[in-house]
Amino acid sequence: MNKSRAPLIHITKRKTMPWYCAWGVRGAAIVAALIACAVVTMFMTGENPIAIYAAMLKGAFGTTRKLWILGQNIAILLCIALALVPAFKMRFWNLGGEGQVLIGGLAAAACMICLGNRLPSGLLIAVMTLASIAAGAVWALIPAVFKAKWGTNETLFTLMMNYVATQLVAYFVIIWESPKGSGKIGIINQTTGIGWLPQIGGQKYLLNILVVAMITVIMYFYMNYSKHGYEISVVGESERTARYVGIKVERVILRTLLLSGAICGVAGLLLVGGTDHTITTTVAGGRGFTAVMVAWLAKFNPVGMVFTSFLIVFLGRGASEITTIFGLNHSYGDILTGIILFFIIGCEFFINYRLNFRKSAGKEAANV
Amino acid sequence: MDNKVAAVKMRDITKTFGATVANDKVWLDIYRGEILALLGENGSGKTTLMNMLSGIYFPDKGQIFVDGREVSIRSPKEAFDLGIGMIHQHFKLVDVFSAAENIVLGLKGSGRLDIDEVAKNVKAICEEYGFEVDPYQKIYDMSVSQKQQVEIVKVLYRGADILILDEPTAVLTPQETDKLFAVLRNMRDLGKAIVIITHKMHEVEELSDRVAILRHGSFVGDMLTKTTNAQEMTNMMVGHAVVLDIDRPEPKDPKPRIRVEGLTVRDIEGVVKLDNVSFTANSGEILGVAGISGCGQKELLEAIAGLQPIESGSIKYICDDGREDELIGKDPLSIQSLGVSLSFVPEDRLGMGLVGSMDLTDNMMLRSFRRGRSLIADRKTPKKLAEKVVEELEVNTPGVSTPVRRLSGGNVQKVLVGREISSAPTVLLTAYAVRGLDINSSYMIYDLINKQKEKGVAVVYVGEDLDVLLELCDRILVLCGGKVSGIVDGRGASKRDVGMMMTRLGGAANE
């Protein structure tokens, strides 16, 4: 080699980008994602991509009912994601959201079934609330105790707790099945409505949305302005530093996971007591895991998570609409969601790094 | 000198990281048969420049010539192919492998590895240059200096004849340093080109043939070592005249403050780290702690700060009124709340003591955030403190909301020390307070420590540079393998004696 050549591409770290540029890049990524989806759609199905996008929008926003369902789904997903935030900020990878929601829901259902005829509805709802929160909190506390005392791997532990919760729910579904032999519980207290969370303004989903909105605001302040929030960040960033300044790391882990589990318990309560009025093993519907993505996409910022949970729910609802309208396989919706998420996550690279291409030989010579 | 062909010529080398210009149009010549000392303050771009030569970074602009031919070095492998090898500050060795295994690691060869053949070649290299490396010894059995020799042999084994050493003496005792210098001189006489990056002036004067000086990423100049002196080099590095003496005011009214008796500490594996250590630290006095790295200095400070489980012994804090408090068994928080203020500047600044991703304000809060009963953390007072520290200690930062990870080593240290002394401690424990700091920042830290001493604080200063320990400290506690080898008076002790005590209990007295 007689001529020196720079590498074709070399990657350098950017200085911090102003926020409007960063959001510009993210916006461009979404546009690019939509174009990529359109190309893929035309190529694979021959449908008009514009019509497909229109159907997605209609699926999500088309009717008042659809809007309410969108809101409800965002609320529950956001609620679970908010629950994960304090744990994740502490670098405690709580993948047990699914199980914590299930067990919270199971506690609420148990109260409705066993205490339905003995307590007035108002008191029952109070008991349900406490029971759900306690159940979710305990479910998160068990792995936290093991992590704090013996340093076990929380990722595997919380994951396994999900299966335990699912099996427990399956067991109780058989015990409480109604009608007998149906293999499911059916609507609990269908005639009396005892233990059903109250409807605000006649809207079935409004209460859930308001509760989650409240949790969002509280979580934002808890994480950013409270002493607890500060302790959580210190423990997450450097356990050694935390010990050195006298933070009791074990206590912070237990306290934070109690909170994380408790909020998952609330999500379970809202699902069982507020909307479904029954319980199945799929009541959480994988949202314990989707919530992980919601939290990461927004970099654990509760306000940002409102947008990311909206995005994910919107994509999901839109995708299921196009599968029905165009008679496409349900996987097709997943493909589109995957493409869009790929672009959104990938664009973070361009926000943090710059690509330098090798200058052409002529230009190089001119520079010398 | 003029008729020599430069082994390496760097021309107009520029490298930027984001907004920071690490190197700005640097020119540097490296010759065979010569030891070049590369001098500069922290963040002046010495390591960056050498990393570009060894293929870790790629320059944004500029040209590199090796033996007169323009080259581009895109990876450490390409650097090796050109005969350029770098010995980094942090060793890159596999602990459970032997020296020979580490040396051939990553090299291409025929299908079968003949480790005896490798060992023979390693032995030959050792004999040629005067290394003392046993090819079959495992890395975990080696001292720091032996590991460093393995690193150097590794580079030579790959055929390097241009060697770059990044602060090689930072971890060595004076005796080990002498040995290293002898080897380096040998290598020079055999025609190798050697570059050493260092902060220590007396080493530059002792070892190098030529010095090149960088300041704020730019090349200031180079000259023959014998035509210059420490004062001139320092002034060039800093850009203005600097006084090179460390003050040592007489201690005022020293009274016992911390009394350690029979302290024994084991680490998690049950290895004895401190063995029956006893000493007293007085107020208004700087007690230096000398020792080869890993001789229990860290454990000693952590034990006093309440971070280290203790096997036996006692640590008493003596109040002004003569009351004594036992510190053992208390956690760091209760040691603080007793009114006993220990300010501990840990060895590993970013791993412990500061949170890298947090900004200056949040790092100031680490000590104080619990104050008050409110659930909300107070950020106004820490912000004021951060601004005060930035102003008083001349911390170079874009603002108080910059994550400390983005600051250079010297500035990080200033932030940490600034916070620790802001709580008006009565005992200040410091470990390697100037590790990796340039002359200017180091002197500022010595100054800060002296001010604390004058205020009546009992300072425990764990250091690695014996010259500094001997100039700064009133008394020096020498540790050797976790035992107290002796306590000497800082005034009048000789470097040689202390060096002997570091390697052998009791030092020369036992000979």
Side-chain angles (χ1 to χ4, degrees):
Chain A
M1 195 173 70
N2 51 9
K3 195 181 175 327
S4 92
R5 293 175 65 135
L8 185 57
I9 301 172
H10 80 268
I11 298 164
T12 50
K13 202 158 169 63
R14 262 180 211 281
K15 53 190 154 196
T16 42
M17 216 183 209
W19 63 270
Y20 50 88
C21 279
W23 282 103
V25 170
R26 293 191 184 112
I30 292 182
V31 172
L34 291 178
I35 294 171
C37 288
V39 171
V40 170
T41 306
M42 283 195 299
F43 210 66
M44 292 173 64
T45 66
E47 301 284 353
N48 175 3
I50 307 286
I52 289 198
Y53 290 138
M56 280 181 88
L57 286 172
K58 228 178 101 219
F61 306 116
T63 61
T64 325
R65 193 182 131 69
K66 281 181 171 157
L67 270 177
W68 278 114
I69 293 177
L70 185 77
Q72 150 76 3
N73 284 347
I74 292 173
I76 296 297
L77 184 61
L78 181 58
C79 184
I80 304 171
L82 286 169
L84 301 182
V85 163
F88 280 11
K89 266 263 181 178
M90 204 174 60
R91 307 256 166 104
F92 184 108
W93 306 117
N94 178 10
L95 297 186
E98 192 87 1
Q100 288 147 28
V101 171
L102 268 175
I103 216 76
L106 182 65
C111 292
M112 287 164 81
I113 291 167
C114 302
L115 303 173
N117 302 322
R118 299 178 204 172
L119 292 178
S121 191
L123 188 58
L124 178 59
I125 288 174
V127 172
M128 280 162 60
T129 309
L130 287 178
S132 302
I133 289 178
V138 165
W139 221 245
L141 188 65
I142 296 168
V145 168
F146 278 79
K147 168 85 172 180
K149 295 267 182 244
W150 297 292
T152 52
N153 181 325
E154 77 278 10
T155 316
L156 286 173
F157 206 133
T158 50
L159 204 58
M160 292 305 157
M161 292 296 281
N162 290 337
Y163 301 113
V164 179
T166 311
Q167 294 309 317
L168 270 180
V169 171
Y171 175 74
F172 282 104
V173 164
I174 298 303
I175 289 193
W176 292 327
E177 68 180 345
S178 127
K180 283 281 170 215
S182 64
K184 58 185 181 187
I185 291 184
I187 304 295
I188 305 166
N189 303 344
Q190 189 161 19
T191 46
T192 56
I194 285 180
W196 293 23
L197 299 186
Q199 296 191 355
I200 298 177
Q203 294 297 343
K204 194 178 173 193
Y205 300 132
L206 189 57
L207 176 78
N208 289 2
I209 295 172
L210 289 179
V211 167
V212 176
M214 214 169 65
I215 296 177
T216 311
V217 174
I218 293 174
M219 187 53 78
Y220 178 78
F221 281 95
Y222 181 77
M223 289 314 298
N224 289 303
Y225 295 99
S226 76
K227 290 177 181 173
H228 283 186
Y230 180 73
E231 282 185 336
I232 289 172
S233 327
V234 175
V235 171
E237 289 299 333
S238 166
E239 221 172 272
R240 278 161 52 91
T241 303
R243 279 183 214 284
Y244 156 69
V245 295
I247 294 175
K248 296 204 169 63
V249 175
E250 290 77 16
R251 224 170 70 188
V252 175
I253 292 180
L254 297 183
R255 186 182 74 204
T256 306
L257 263 289
L258 271 178
L259 178 70
S260 185
I263 299 177
C264 281
V266 170
L269 172 76
L270 294 179
L271 278 171
V272 172
T275 51
D276 294 7
H277 308 132
T278 182
I279 186 155
T280 63
T281 52
T282 55
V283 70
R287 280 179 280 202
F289 300 108
T290 316
V292 174
M293 190 158 64
V294 169
W296 266 102
L297 275 178
K299 303 206 175 79
F300 311 137
N301 175 357
V303 177
M305 279 156 51
V306 176
F307 294 100
T308 51
S309 51
F310 163 79
L311 183 76
I312 288 184
V313 171
F314 163 74
L315 287 174
R317 300 281 303 161
S320 72
E321 179 79 5
I322 53 176
T323 53
T324 41
I325 289 189
F326 295 95
L328 299 172
N329 187 306
H330 194 277
S331 311
Y332 193 68
D334 291 341
I335 292 175
L336 293 191
T337 311
I339 293 175
I340 293 172
L341 287 177
F342 176 81
F343 274 81
I344 292 171
I345 296 169
C347 83
E348 297 296 319
F349 174 82
F350 293 96
I351 290 172
N352 289 316
Y353 296 93
R354 179 200 303 277
L355 293 183
N356 300 288
F357 293 96
R358 179 167 63 204
K359 292 182 191 119
S360 66
K363 227 168 134 198
E364 193 87 72
N367 281 348
V368 170
Chain B
M1 191 72 72
D2 289 327
N3 51 5
K4 270 202 218 169
V5 175
V8 175
K9 265 201 271 190
M10 299 179 94
R11 289 289 176 268
D12 281 333
I13 297 288
T14 299
K15 177 79 187 170
T16 56
F17 296 102
T20 327
V21 182
N23 284 139
D24 186 17
K25 298 200 185 100
V26 175
W27 284 49
L28 188 72
D29 292 339
I30 301 169
Y31 295 97
R32 278 179 226 284
E34 189 179 90
I35 298 178
L36 173 72
L38 191 55
L39 268 176
E41 289 191 277
N42 289 116
S44 60
K46 305 174 299 267
T47 306
T48 308
L49 187 68
M50 288 303 111
N51 277 341
M52 283 189 277
L53 202 51
S54 59
I56 291 171
Y57 296 145
F58 191 82
D60 294 343
K61 285 201 194 86
Q63 296 158 291
I64 300 175
F65 299 87
V66 173
D67 294 324
R69 195 166 54 91
E70 184 173 356
V71 294
S72 75
I73 305 169
R74 283 172 289 196
S75 68
K77 192 186 164 297
E78 292 189 7
F80 272 126
D81 293 343
L82 293 166
I84 301 170
M86 183 155 171
I87 290 101
H88 294 269
Q89 231 171 329
H90 304 284
F91 302 143
K92 299 170 191 322
L93 297 168
V94 182
D95 263 359
V96 294
F97 280 9
S98 70
E101 283 165 335
N102 266 289
I103 286 165
V104 286
L105 197 64
L107 282 181
K108 284 208 181 96
S110 59
R112 214 176 70 83
L113 173 65
D114 183 356
I115 203 76
D116 291 329
E117 180 70 27
V118 175
K120 222 168 74 194
N121 293 337
V122 169
K123 275 229 171 80
I125 293 177
C126 292
E127 267 161 36
E128 191 178 357
Y129 299 103
F131 293 104
E132 290 162 10
V133 172
D134 172 4
Y136 296 106
Q137 196 180 359
K138 302 278 191 210
I139 300 297
Y140 59 75
D141 272 341
M142 292 186 178
S143 69
V144 181
S145 129
Q146 283 172 310
K147 286 181 197 173
Q148 188 179 48
Q149 293 193 25
V150 174
E151 283 280 9
I152 301 174
V153 173
K154 187 164 95 182
V155 168
L156 291 172
Y157 188 89
R158 280 145 211 249
D161 57 2
I162 301 164
L163 281 93
I164 306 161
L165 295 97
D166 193 356
E167 296 198 39
T169 60
V171 287
L172 303 182
T173 63
Q175 283 79 7
E176 290 168 336
T177 304
D178 288 344
K179 250 190 242 165
L180 172 71
F181 284 1
V183 170
L184 291 181
R185 286 193 195 99
N186 261 343
M187 290 181 2
R188 171 192 62 194
D189 297 340
L190 289 163
K192 306 266 180 205
I194 293 166
V195 181
I196 98 163
I197 301 179
T198 180
H199 288 302
K200 299 179 188 167
M201 279 308 154
H202 60 95
E203 290 180 356
V204 175
E205 292 182 306
E206 192 188 328
L207 178 71
S208 70
D209 302 302
R210 205 159 55 89
V211 277
I213 296 171
L214 294 182
R215 183 168 75 227
H216 304 313
S218 305
F219 179 68
V220 188
D222 63 350
M223 53 223 168
L224 293 178
T225 311
K226 53 181 181 255
T227 63
T228 182
N229 57 48
Q231 188 66 54
E232 189 191 8
M233 290 188 284
T234 312
N235 294 352
M236 279 177 79
M237 258 165 66
V238 181
H240 55 83
V242 181
V243 182
L244 277 188
D245 291 313
I246 304 176
D247 270 355
R248 178 159 49 189
E250 282 295 325
K252 270 183 294 188
D253 185 23
K255 275 188 290 199
R257 177 68 74 201
I258 293 270
R259 188 184 302 129
V260 175
E261 268 164 12
L263 185 66
T264 300
V265 166
R266 281 175 199 273
D267 67 5
I268 298 171
E269 278 105 42
V271 178
V272 177
K273 285 304 213 177
L274 287 175
D275 190 359
N276 198 16
V277 169
S278 303
F279 67 92
T280 307
N282 297 326
S283 64
E285 188 189 79
I286 300 178
L287 175 70
V289 177
I292 304 166
S293 66
C295 276
Q297 299 96 318
K298 177 167 161 264
E299 287 76 11
L300 179 62
L301 295 198
E302 291 195 351
I304 301 176
L307 293 161
Q308 174 77 46
I310 279 141
E311 181 147 309
S312 62
S314 83
I315 303 173
K316 290 262 182 356
Y317 175 88
I318 303 157
C319 306
D320 281 334
D321 55 15
R323 201 160 43 89
E324 296 189 1
D325 272 319
E326 178 61 59
L327 296 187
I328 288 175
K330 293 193 169 69
D331 61 29
L333 199 54
S334 40
I335 289 180
Q336 257 180 310
S337 61
L338 258 173
V340 180
S341 41
L342 290 169
S343 286
F344 179 56
V345 180
E347 242 176 303
D348 179 4
R349 285 188 285 275
L350 270 181
M352 186 164 165
L354 293 174
V355 180
S357 60
M358 288 186 172
D359 65 14
L360 270 65
T361 304
D362 278 16
N363 271 296
M364 291 295 158
M365 275 168 70
L366 277 169
R367 283 273 181 216
S368 62
F369 77 97
R370 285 189 203 82
R371 271 186 215 138
R373 309 193 113 197
S374 156
L375 288 176
I376 304 298
D378 169 25
R379 275 192 168 76
K380 279 194 199 119
T381 327
K383 187 163 182 234
K384 273 194 207 118
L385 176 60
E387 281 160 356
K388 197 177 130 213
V389 168
V390 167
E391 199 192 299
E392 285 180 2
L393 305 190
E394 295 167 29
V395 179
N396 187 2
T397 168
V400 292
S401 48
T402 306
V404 292
R405 183 178 288 148
R406 297 239 180 96
L407 304 185
S408 73
N411 289 310
V412 169
Q413 183 69 311
K414 284 182 195 170
V415 171
L416 181 57
V417 175
R419 184 190 72 206
E420 293 302 319
I421 60 183
S422 74
S423 60
T426 56
V427 177
L428 181 68
L429 304 170
T430 68
Y432 310 114
V434 298
R435 174 178 281 178
L437 295 200
D438 56 62
I439 295 228
N440 219 12
S441 312
S442 301
Y443 276 75
M444 182 167 256
I445 301 287
Y446 302 145
D447 212 36
L448 283 172
I449 290 174
N450 266 327
K451 276 198 191 121
Q452 294 299 308
K453 164 182 164 182
E454 281 168 37
K455 278 190 194 161
V457 175
V459 181
V460 179
Y461 178 93
V462 174
E464 48 201 349
D465 188 337
L466 275 184
D467 295 283
V468 171
L469 277 167
L470 289 166
E471 272 185 75
L472 178 72
C473 302
D474 299 299
R475 289 183 305 143
I476 300 170
L477 168 79
V478 187
L479 287 176
C480 174
K483 291 194 175 110
V484 177
S485 187
I487 299 179
V488 296
D489 197 328
R491 295 168 182 78
S494 87
K495 192 175 160 187
R496 203 189 119 76
D497 291 345
V498 175
M500 292 300 285
M501 286 165 76
M502 282 162 67
T503 46
R504 191 175 308 143
L505 275 184
N510 283 5
E511 252 179 300

